[in-house]
Amino acid sequence: MLRQSFFVPLFMLFLLVPVSAQIILISRNQEIEIGKEVAAALERQYGVWDNPEQTRRIERIGRSLVAVCERKDMPYTFKILNERKELNAMAAPGGFIYITRALLEALESDDEVAFVLGHEIGHIAGDHIRKQISQGMVGSILLDILTGGASQIVRIGSDIMFALYQSGYSRQHERDADTRGVRYMKAAGYNPIAAITALKKLGSERYKGLVRWFGTHPDIPSRIERIARMLGVDPETLKPLPQGASSEKIPERSEQLFYLSENSLFLLPTKGSNPQKIWHLKNHRLQAFEVSPDGKTFWLLVRREGSNLVHLAVFKNGSRKTDFMAHFFADEIYDFRLSPNSKWLATLAKENGKTFIKLFESTGKEVQIQDRTPIGEISAILWTKDNKLLVFTERFGEVVVAILALGETVRFVPTNSRTAPTLVGFEDERNLIVLTDETLQHVPFDDEQLKLQPLASPVSNFAVGKGQIVLVKDGKLQRGILVGKDLQTNVIDDQEGEFSDLTISSDGQWLAYTYRSKPSEQPQIWLAHLTSNRLWRVAMNASKPKFSGH
């Protein structure tokens, strides 16, 4: 009776302790004994692959990781289970580490093998196994365990381990094992980027249904994202993230952000970081779009796959109806712009080698240009604040600006440039910024002649807004402020690659842009807070961001 009265209060104590406390009820020696039972059962079930070269390989990799782990008091062993279909790896209590032949053959390098083995070592070094076994023992069978001696503990511990292989470790333990595994890789001299490549490879469609190791290790995309943040790299390109990149929630903004992805239109609300698909039309390519300042009306240029017939359409946010209002033929669409008063739409396009402009009312009715004189080879278009359309063009061997005031005759203004600009924007109502031959130039707006004054070079792209210029100079995304005739700049995004679709919010606080590390990569949408230089990636495989305040 005395023995029983001692154990019952102890049993009640364990029931009252929260699971998060993670009590360890088994000793080191008991853990090793349980591990021997589990290891023997695994080897009976699968067999051990008799390949001395590969066995020496995983032993070498495993020992190098053990040498830098926190728990070296285990008799670690590393073996390959002779299983050719199931991609799996597991750690038995006491340091018995196994990897299946199928998983070993799927991994392409010692670095990737090191991540898998390091992850399993992490479960042992982090005491996850002893904690999970102990947690399984805290229950109605605890009294039997405590009174049944060492053999009972080993038997029940083994049963708990096999149940654990089926259900998986807790999310907290998985994250910790990943963290430890990556840390061991770095300390032992392996490339930690291989943690991401291994997860990507084994999480691919090719191995679907074969990877039990991933079936019992949930939420692979989040694990990849988390490891990428630990290493400070982009999980897609595996290149270093720009300085200032943040994984936190995007702060509240004054304007909604819209962009294109996979022929669909997406919205990033002013509050939150989760984009929403708001428009898609099957078998149609979305070429360009414009959005009203209130973010409720959208004008779209769409075409059916394989056709050069372009449709002008409109839809209201929240409506399922898309109205097709007009159409025209074009091989390429260069630009699509809504006038500041939201009454007119201008399209710059190309067909059969010739550029041309199409003007429409916002209702879809085409507007005829009031002049029969050829405008010339058009390079860029831009609306003025008073709703006049500036058309930059090369005409009769000279670069001129055609001013189209709807309902009036076209007026031509000469420039001092020999090359037509490819990109134009207003710094303010009386000053233009233009890009010609990789030279950014300042142009005081004059109805008699436009004189271009060089600001910076080489520049490949730019945007203007609220007295600031965002430009891509020397391959870096930079923010510039004009001080007199000088442009003072600082770097926003130091990634190497291609920046395009630059657009500044109407309050001047935010910059949205498209980035890709090389032309063959899928484009990404990034968002920068211009006053703090903090960056967030909004979407993959996306382009053409626009704020609703424009």
Side-chain angles (χ1 to χ4, degrees), residues 228-243:
R229 287 200 302 270
M230 287 170 51
L231 301 175
V233 300
D234 185 320
E236 297 299 325
T237 65
L238 304 182
K239 294 185 177 182
L241 285 169
Q243 186 176 359

Side-chain angles (χ1 to χ4, degrees), residues 477-497:
L477 184 63
Q478 305 181 36
R479 178 192 184 203
I481 302 292
L482 271 177
V483 179
K485 294 184 178 180
D486 296 326
L487 185 65
Q488 298 181 357
T489 63
N490 65 279
V491 174
I492 298 171
D493 189 335
D494 60 357
Q495 296 180 97
E496 293 185 0

Side-chain angles (χ1 to χ4, degrees), residues 9-245:
L10 182 62
F11 169 66
M12 294 303 297
L13 173 63
F14 286 135
L15 291 181
L16 293 172
V17 174
V19 171
S20 60
Q22 297 285 283
I23 296 172
I24 296 177
L25 300 177
I26 61 174
S27 68
R28 170 187 178 276
N29 290 337
Q30 288 170 334
E31 178 184 2
I32 293 172
E33 290 305 312
I34 293 171
K36 289 178 179 178
E37 291 286 328
V38 173
L42 288 172
E43 293 181 22
R44 283 195 301 272
Q45 179 178 350
Y46 294 102
V48 175
W49 188 27
D50 184 17
N51 185 314
E53 181 182 355
Q54 289 299 324
T55 300
R56 286 193 299 270
R57 179 191 178 205
I58 66 160
E59 182 78 17
R60 168 178 53 81
I61 296 171
R63 291 294 171 194
S64 67
L65 298 167
V66 168
V68 296
C69 81
E70 299 87 349
R71 194 176 179 202
K72 302 180 179 67
D73 64 332
M74 292 289 103
Y76 288 94
T77 63
F78 299 88
K79 294 184 180 181
I80 307 166
L81 296 177
N82 195 25
E83 167 57 50
R84 304 193 66 176
K85 292 183 178 180
E86 183 180 301
L87 283 74
N88 208 348
M90 60 204 76
F96 300 90
I97 308 293
Y98 292 95
I99 183 171
T100 63
R101 179 178 175 180
L103 178 53
L104 183 63
E105 291 175 341
L107 301 171
E108 296 181 0
S109 66
D110 284 4
D111 298 301
E112 291 183 348
V113 174
F115 170 64
V116 172
L117 298 182
H119 178 99
E120 299 303 334
I121 293 170
H123 281 310
I124 295 170
D127 263 333
H128 304 159
I129 292 177
R130 284 204 294 174
K131 290 173 182 177
Q132 294 273 157
I133 293 174
S134 298
Q135 182 179 325
M137 289 179 172
V138 177
S140 61
I141 62 172
L142 180 60
L143 187 58
D144 291 335
I145 295 172
L146 294 175
T147 59
S151 62
Q152 183 79 331
I153 292 175
V154 171
R155 183 185 64 78
I156 296 177
S158 300
D159 291 342
I160 292 172
M161 275 309 302
F162 282 106
L164 180 61
Y165 290 149
Q166 296 300 319
S167 62
Y169 291 90
S170 71
R171 191 173 297 272
Q172 178 184 350
H173 285 167
E174 290 297 351
R175 287 196 295 262
D176 187 52
D178 277 346
T179 300
R180 291 172 186 270
V182 171
R183 189 165 68 239
Y184 304 156
M185 291 175 72
K186 294 171 71 174
Y190 297 100
N191 183 1
I193 297 296
I196 298 174
T197 61
L199 285 168
K200 281 187 172 184
K201 182 186 293 103
L202 300 178
S204 68
E205 190 70 22
R206 174 184 175 186
Y207 295 111
K208 189 175 182 180
L210 299 175
V211 189
R212 286 197 61 209
W213 194 66
F214 287 88
T216 58
H217 295 58
D219 203 9
I220 298 303
S222 293
R223 291 175 66 196
I224 291 173
E225 194 73 37
R226 184 172 175 275
I227 292 172
R229 287 200 302 270
M230 287 170 51
L231 301 175
V233 300
D234 185 320
E236 297 299 325
T237 65
L238 304 182
K239 294 185 177 182
L241 285 169
Q243 186 176 359

